[in-house]
């Protein structure tokens, strides 16, 4: 058993009615989802038999994500190279394994390269598989993606990139998108 808490309640009579003791605990992270915590209470008195009760609580834990994407320039010039930094943090109450980040590129850009093992797995789809375990409430991680903006993009057009993150411990992904404005190159005639 864990750490017992003991209260000396003194003398009690039936006239005292029902008395409650409330105990609030914080579950140490991470705990595997589905684990059970058993809390047992015993009450005894010099002139009464021991009474015992217990409650079993099932832990529900999972990763939860904060994910952001930042462009190196906004607006960006048509024909220029653009670097996106994707930053992710597991803010959940469980560690994450098999973490995968997927980025869907706008049709107005072309893939150049990606850091940390990222690769274009099909046209316009870039994917990273993050090795090891991403700790619950751990430090943020990041990956980068470099694209070239098509020189045919018109002034004021918007590039939309969708990105998502998922782990082996989750049934659905956390997703977001970002838009970056394109500006025409400035030409001067002399």
């Amino acid at each position: 058993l864990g750490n017992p808490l003991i209260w000396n309640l003194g003398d009690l009579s039936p006239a005292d009615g029902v008395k409650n003791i409330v105990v609030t605990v914080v579950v140490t992270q991470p705990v595997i989802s589905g684990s059970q915590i058993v809390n047992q209470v015993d009450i005894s008195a010099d002139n009464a038999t021991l009474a015992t009760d217990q409650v079993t609580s099932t832990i529900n834990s999972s990763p939860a994500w904060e994910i952001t994407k930042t462009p190196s320039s906004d607006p960006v010039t048509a024909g220029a190279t653009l670097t996106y930094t994707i930053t992710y943090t597991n803010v959940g109450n469980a560690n994450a394994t098999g973490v995968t980040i997927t980025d869907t590129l706008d049709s107005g850009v072309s893939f150049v390269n990606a850091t940390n093992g990222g690769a274009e797995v099909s046209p316009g789809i870039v994917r990273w598989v993050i090795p090891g375990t991403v700790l619950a409430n751990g430090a943020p991680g990041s990956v980068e993606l470099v694209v070239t903006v098509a020189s045919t993009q018109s002034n004021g057009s918007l590039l939309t990139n969708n990105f998502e993150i998922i782990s082996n411990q989750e049934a659905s992904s956390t997703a977001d998108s970002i838009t970056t404005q394109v500006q025409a190159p400035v030409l001067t005639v002399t």
Side-chain angles (χ1 to χ4, degrees), residues 30-90:
V31 176
I32 297 171
S33 193
S35 298
Q36 293 188 327
I37 296 176
V38 177
N39 182 311
Q40 179 174 316
V41 62
D42 299 322
I43 188 166
S44 63
D46 293 339
N47 60 347
T49 59
L50 176 70
T52 298
D53 195 13
Q54 62 179 232
V55 174
T56 301
S57 301
T58 301
I59 301 299
N60 182 14
S61 60
S62 68
W65 300 102
E66 285 183 358
I67 184 167
T68 59
K69 186 174 186 180
T70 308
S72 58
S73 177
D74 188 7
V76 62
T77 304
T81 299
L82 177 62
T83 301
Y84 287 108
T85 302
I86 300 172
T87 303
Y88 58 93
T89 306
N90 179 359

Side-chain angles (χ1 to χ4, degrees), residues 107-129:
S107 60
V109 302
S110 57
F111 175 75
V112 175
N113 64 43
T115 63
N116 299 337
E120 190 172 34
V121 295
S122 62
I125 307 291
V126 181
R127 185 164 294 138
W128 294 263
V129 177

